[in-house]
Each structure stands twice: as structure tokens, then as C-alpha cells.
Amino acid sequence: MSSAQEPLISRHSSPEGDHDVSDDVEYGDYNHTAVAGNNDDDDNTTADPTTPSNSSPTLFIYLLTVCAGISGLLFGYDTGVISSTLVTVGTALTHPLPLSSLDKSIITSSTSLLALLISPFSSYLADRLGRKRVILFADALFIAGALLQAVSNNVGTMVVGRAVVGMAVGAASFVAPLYVAETAPAGLRGRLVTMNVIFITLGQVVAYVAGWGLGELGSSEDGSGGGENVGWRWMVGLGALPAIVQVVVMLAMPETPRWLVMVGRGEEARRVVERVVGGSGLGRKREVDVTIKGIEVEVREEDEARRLRGAGKAAWLDSAEELFRVKRNRRALAIACLLQGLQQLCGFNSLMYFSATIFTMLGFSIPTLTSLVVAVTNFAFTLVALFLIDRIGRRRILLWSIPFMMGGLLLAAYGFSFITLANSDSIASSTDGDTEPPPARGAALTILASIMVYVAGYALGLGNVPWMQSELFALNVRSLGSGIATATNWGANFVIGLTFLLLMDALTPSWTFVLYAGICAAGYGLVWTFYPETAGLSLEEAASLLEDDRWGVR
Ligand SMILES: O[C@H]1[C@H](O)[C@@H](O)[C@H](O)[C@@H](O)[C@H]1O
């Protein structure tokens, strides 16, 4: 990652008031990272508040990273597990009928809707209660949501369970990266954005593997005993496990030094920094002093800025005015929302959520196993993206990868045109997937291959680049701008989850995929016209690109 994308906790006072937790750490699920340019450092001579200059990472720091990773993993697990659940749940929720397309759509999209609704409160709660408590609170929601889903016997309870998980995803995805960003050395923070996406996609792989294993287990029980396939209950219930692990580890972890200073618990903050720094001796004491001093200065400056703005005016209003009044801020917002909207409207998550349903329709004998290719391809190419993105650049990687997505979608649409599918309502809800008459094998395999091409293209570009959104925004509007862009992501995610199966029924699968290809084509044009290359630039350079009348695109 180039220095321009190195997330640093800013030492500037922030005009964002009650959003100050995210002055530099944007909301975005798993994607809240403070991304500040080099220039952020220029006017400040103190060391990074939480950065021991010479020390190598302590065990404590590794633990922190894993802790934050569990939140990403949970996010991925809970969004990925729905795919297998929908094809193994059978008639358990709607006895004696299988789930309808509408049931499936509502169950799926309730998670993203609640994640969207909880997001504005996460930052407030993290300030009031502390970062650690919000992580624990999210874990409680993850556990409650998982158990509720596991015991549900009707669609209503399942939707409530999914919604509770959605609240957990929304809160955890904001606060966990913030927790690390405020505690860990700057060197680690730089990797947060991509690490988060990697943990999410890994969680999705785990969910798909669990869905396959437990779905199979359930079907054999079903076959021998004739009872309900209970595999799906284990799948959704298992989501509680990582959350329980996270609770245990988190209980042993401290609050972040920055929050402790903010609430006047300086002595505790010092002890935390001592653990972060590790080692002993005079050098260590000096490092701890400098770090604590840096945090105190930062917090004081923020308080001061807030006071100057005046108590009468809400801080977010201040920020909102700036965001919409200043041309270059408006442009940054337009681009960030464009990318986030496109990340979801290109239809990727319809595969993430419904691939097992699609492969059941296509007559694959173990659809949950076949659909693993979606999660594994996504994970593998996200890793590839990690190595490529800074070398190739964000704009260029998008312009290279979107045509592959379009090609994959159009080929899949072509494949679907050879297949006569039953309405998705009538798809058998078992994993045996035997449909009569069997769909054309060649066409089904073509669709599988084209979906892999599409997913690879997505993971290389759109799956990652939108989360680098904070580098587009000036510091004083970064938190709000990133928050709005992230809300766009959840909103579009909700729309896709709700409409995919309904579109498949109303338009046919071929036209649904053509529609997504059309959205990608429009997105390509918009990226080409409006999205300047920001790789390798400082935040200020990136922001000034947006000043010129061609939006910085040459
Ligand atoms: O960046 C992530 C990643 O691509 C996930 O696979 C996807 O499910 C999320 O919606 C997206 O935000």
C-alpha cells in the first residue's frame, strides 16, 4: 500500500464533533479505516499517538488484529450462510410448503436493511459506551441472532433473527476496525481496509463450506430418518461460535487509549500504551510519554474545535453544509457513492446469497458444493487484488476488470437461454437438486464457468476499490462522506437481496443477468468519465484532482 493510502490516526482537530471517532476512521463495515495522507503528518512533530516508532509488533497487537478479524469473519459468515440455508431449510418455516421467492427475498434482505439502519448510531454508541463495549454488544447480537435463526419455526422469527444479525454486522463492522486503528501501531493500520475485505470473504468461504458439509449431513439424516433436515439449523446457529470466542478474548482486552483519554481516564490509557509498546527501559518510557501526549493534544484540539463551532449548531450539520456546498466535496461524495452503489448493483451479492438456489435450478447434484466456487473465487481473487491494486491503480483495475464481469454476465445470460427453469418458488428445497427434466448439462457448465469469470472480475476491482473511499474526502468531511457512501452500499445491497429472485421470475434469468451487465456497462462509462486515479497520491493531491472541471480525469 502506498503511503497515500496509509491509514493514520489524524492529529488534526476534527470538525465532525460527535462523529469524532471516525474523524479518520470511516464507517463502512469492516471498512472504516482512517486514511490520511502524508501531509497529515507534515504539520505535526509529535509521534503518532499510538505508534511506537521502533518496536516490532507485540503479541498484544497480534491479538488485536485477530480480534478485529473475527468481526469481519462474522460479517462474511452471516452474509454467506444464507445461500445454503435457503436450499436446505425445506418446509421447516412454511410447513407444508417450501419457501416462496418473496419469503427468501425478505429473509435475505432483512440483514442488510438493519445494517443500514444501525449504521448512524454506531459512531454515537462507540463514543458514549466505548469501543470495547460496542464490540461486546455486537457479539451479543450475533449470538442472539444466530440462536433465534436456529430455533425458528416460521418466516417471521427467521426474519427477526436475520435482522438482529444485521444490527450486529452494522455495528461490528464499524467499531472493530476502529478499535484496532486507535490502539495498534500505524504500520498495522495500513492493511486494515484490505484485511477487512479478506476476512469477510474468508468468512463467506467458511459459511459455504459449513453449508455444504452440514447440508449434506442434514440430507442424509433426512433420507434415513425421514425427519426434517436440521443441517440448516446448525449452519445458522454456528454463527454464534466465533462471537463467543470474540467475547472471551475481548474481555481480556482493554479499551482504546484514545477513548480512555477522551473520557478522562488517562492513567488507564497509559497502561494500555505500555502494553502496546512492550519492552522496558528508558526508551520505552519516553515512547509511552510521547504517545499519551499526542493523544491528549489531539483530543484537546477536537474539543476546542467543537467549542469554537459553537454549542448551538450540531457538528454533523456543519460537516453536511461543507460536504454539499463545496464543489470538490460534492464530487468526492458523488464518486464514492457511485462506486459503492455499483459494487452492489452489479449483482454480486445475488450470487453470494442465492448461488445455491441458482445451482439447484440448474440441476447440479450438490448445489451447495458447486456454489463454493463463488465464495472461493471471490476470496482467491481478493488476495490477488491485494497485491495488484497499488501497482495497477484503482481506476485502471476497475476499467480492466469490469469488462470481464460484463462478459461473464452476458455468457451466463446466453447459457440460461438454453435452459427452461421452473419458477424459483417451486425449486425443490432439498440439496438433491434433481429436477425434471434435467437442464442442459453443457449450458449449466457454461453458466458455472461464466459466473466464475464474473466473480473473479468483481473481486479484483469492485469488491475492493469502493472501500478505499476515504482517500477521496478532505478531513473535515471524511467521516460524514464515508458514512453516506457506506449507507449507499447497504441500501443497494438491500435492493439486490430483495429483488433478485423476483426479477428472475418476472424477467427470466437471462434478462436478469443482462440487466446486471447493463448496470456494469453504465458503471464502466461513469468510472471512465468521473473517477480519477488516486493511487500513489497524498490525500490533498487526490482531493485537488477533483477541483478541475474534468473532475480530474484525463
Ligand atoms: O467488499 C465486500 C466483499 O466483496 C464481499 O464479498 C461482499 O459480499 C460485500 O458486499 C462487499 O462489500
Side-chain angles (χ1 to χ4, degrees):
M1 181 169 278
S2 75
S3 55
Q5 289 94 43
E6 276 284 282
L8 300 171
I9 288 214
S10 163
R11 274 128 346 258
H12 292 258
S13 58
S14 161
E16 281 142 22
D18 29 88
H19 274 270
D20 62 0
V21 292
S22 36
D23 290 343
D24 8 70
V25 179
E26 73 193 48
Y27 165 74
D29 47 85
Y30 46 94
N31 310 291
H32 333 297
T33 322
V35 180
N38 291 345
N39 303 9
D40 277 4
D41 294 337
D42 294 348
D43 58 351
N44 199 307
T45 47
T46 54
D48 187 312
T50 49
T51 306
S53 48
N54 296 318
S55 39
S56 53
T58 53
L59 179 66
F60 175 66
I61 293 303
Y62 284 121
L63 264 175
L64 272 174
T65 316
V66 173
C67 267
I70 296 178
S71 291
L73 209 73
L74 280 163
F75 175 106
Y77 187 86
D78 279 302
T79 51
V81 80
I82 197 65
S83 175
S84 321
T85 307
L86 292 180
V87 296
T88 42
V89 74
T91 56
L93 302 176
T94 39
H95 200 72
L97 299 170
L99 289 175
S100 71
S101 289
L102 189 64
D103 293 331
K104 290 180 183 177
S105 307
I106 295 174
I107 289 172
T108 305
S109 54
S110 53
T111 305
S112 26
L113 180 64
L114 264 290
L116 169 68
L117 296 181
I118 199 80
S119 53
F121 303 104
S122 312
S123 144
Y124 174 77
L125 285 180
D127 265 6
R128 293 300 297 234
L129 307 175
R131 286 66 166 129
K132 180 176 156 177
R133 280 205 200 111
V134 176
I135 293 181
L136 293 172
F137 171 68
D139 281 329
L141 290 175
F142 273 121
I143 296 167
L147 298 181
L148 207 58
Q149 290 176 78
V151 300
S152 60
N153 283 316
N154 54 56
V155 173
T157 320
M158 186 69 172
V159 169
V160 175
R162 295 294 302 165
V164 171
V165 161
M167 289 164 65
V169 168
S173 59
F174 168 71
V175 82
L178 173 66
Y179 179 79
V180 176
E182 287 189 349
T183 318
L188 256 179
R189 288 182 215 129
R191 273 166 256 157
L192 276 181
V193 172
T194 354
M195 277 312 282
N196 262 317
V197 185
I198 286 173
F199 271 112
I200 292 164
T201 53
L202 180 64
Q204 290 172 333
V205 171
V206 175
Y208 270 53
V209 172
W212 163 49
L214 293 169
E216 286 304 293
L217 172 113
S219 37
S220 59
E221 274 176 9
D222 201 21
S224 50
E228 180 200 324
N229 175 340
V230 291
W232 71 272
R233 295 193 186 274
W234 284 103
M235 286 174 212
V236 289
L238 261 183
L241 251 189
I244 293 172
V245 172
Q246 194 175 36
V247 168
V248 174
V249 195
M250 277 310 294
L251 282 176
M253 300 299 248
E255 253 305 341
T256 75
R258 188 169 191 262
W259 187 79
L260 289 170
V261 169
M262 269 165 63
V263 296
R265 286 157 57 180
E267 262 319 298
E268 274 177 68
R270 167 173 292 276
R271 285 198 292 275
V272 178
V273 176
E274 281 168 1
R275 284 176 75 185
V276 172
V277 170
S280 58
L282 246 177
R284 177 211 194 206
K285 187 179 174 309
R286 209 193 139 261
E287 206 161 293
V288 172
D289 286 345
V290 168
T291 304
I292 288 290
K293 192 138 190 297
I295 299 174
E296 283 170 355
V297 168
E298 176 183 296
V299 169
R300 209 171 329 131
E301 279 178 358
E302 277 167 12
D303 284 349
E304 182 68 4
R306 212 170 301 157
R307 202 180 52 75
L308 286 178
R309 273 197 310 268
K313 193 170 178 188
W316 68 268
L317 204 66
D318 224 29
S319 202
E321 263 176 34
E322 278 288 292
L323 187 60
F324 292 102
R325 196 177 47 77
V326 179
K327 186 160 86 176
R328 92 170 196 205
N329 292 342
R330 275 203 307 270
R331 288 178 174 175
L333 184 66
I335 293 170
C337 290
L338 162 74
L339 296 180
Q340 289 287 17
L342 196 59
Q343 181 188 77
Q344 298 301 324
L345 295 177
C346 71
F348 170 78
N349 277 318
S350 49
L351 294 183
M352 185 46 70
Y353 302 151
F354 301 112
S355 57
T357 303
I358 296 173
F359 293 129
T360 305
M361 290 180 191
L362 291 176
F364 283 96
S365 58
I366 309 177
T368 46
L369 176 61
T370 312
S371 64
L372 239 176
V373 300
V374 171
V376 171
T377 309
N378 187 33
F379 175 61
F381 280 84
T382 301
L383 286 179
V384 176
L386 178 68
F387 291 104
L388 290 183
I389 223 156
D390 280 329
R391 273 174 233 174
I392 298 184
R394 290 110 176 80
R395 172 184 161 87
R396 212 171 309 147
I397 210 166
L398 283 179
L399 293 179
W400 286 359
S401 60
I402 294 176
F404 282 98
M405 295 173 67
M406 282 157 59
L409 286 168
L410 292 177
L411 197 62
Y414 179 67
F416 271 116
S417 70
F418 290 95
I419 292 174
T420 323
L421 293 173
N423 181 294
S424 61
D425 275 356
S426 59
I427 295 299
S429 297
S430 67
T431 50
D432 61 20
D434 288 335
T435 47
E436 283 296 335
R441 201 73 196 150
L445 290 174
T446 308
I447 295 171
L448 177 61
S450 44
I451 281 179
M452 285 173 75
V453 172
Y454 164 75
V455 171
Y458 168 85
L460 279 178
L462 274 178
N464 281 290
V465 174
W467 293 124
M468 318 226 156
Q469 58 195 1
S470 46
E471 66 193 26
L472 289 164
F473 293 104
L475 183 68
N476 60 340
V477 294
R478 190 171 305 147
S479 168
L480 187 64
S482 303
I484 294 176
T486 302
T488 309
N489 181 292
W490 283 119
N493 188 321
F494 170 66
V495 170
I496 286 294
L498 191 65
T499 57
F500 175 68
L501 290 182
L502 306 176
L503 283 175
M504 294 271 278
D505 291 344
L507 294 183
T508 74
S510 289
W511 284 108
T512 306
F513 278 68
V514 170
L515 177 71
Y516 290 148
I519 293 173
C520 287
Y524 183 93
L526 291 169
V527 167
W528 194 82
T529 317
F530 298 120
Y531 183 40
E533 186 56 79
T534 50
L537 302 180
S538 76
L539 282 189
E540 282 66 22
E541 285 166 337
S544 71
L545 269 186
L546 301 174
E547 296 282 11
D548 85 17
D549 283 336
R550 296 202 53 204
W551 289 52
V553 181
R554 296 207 169 78

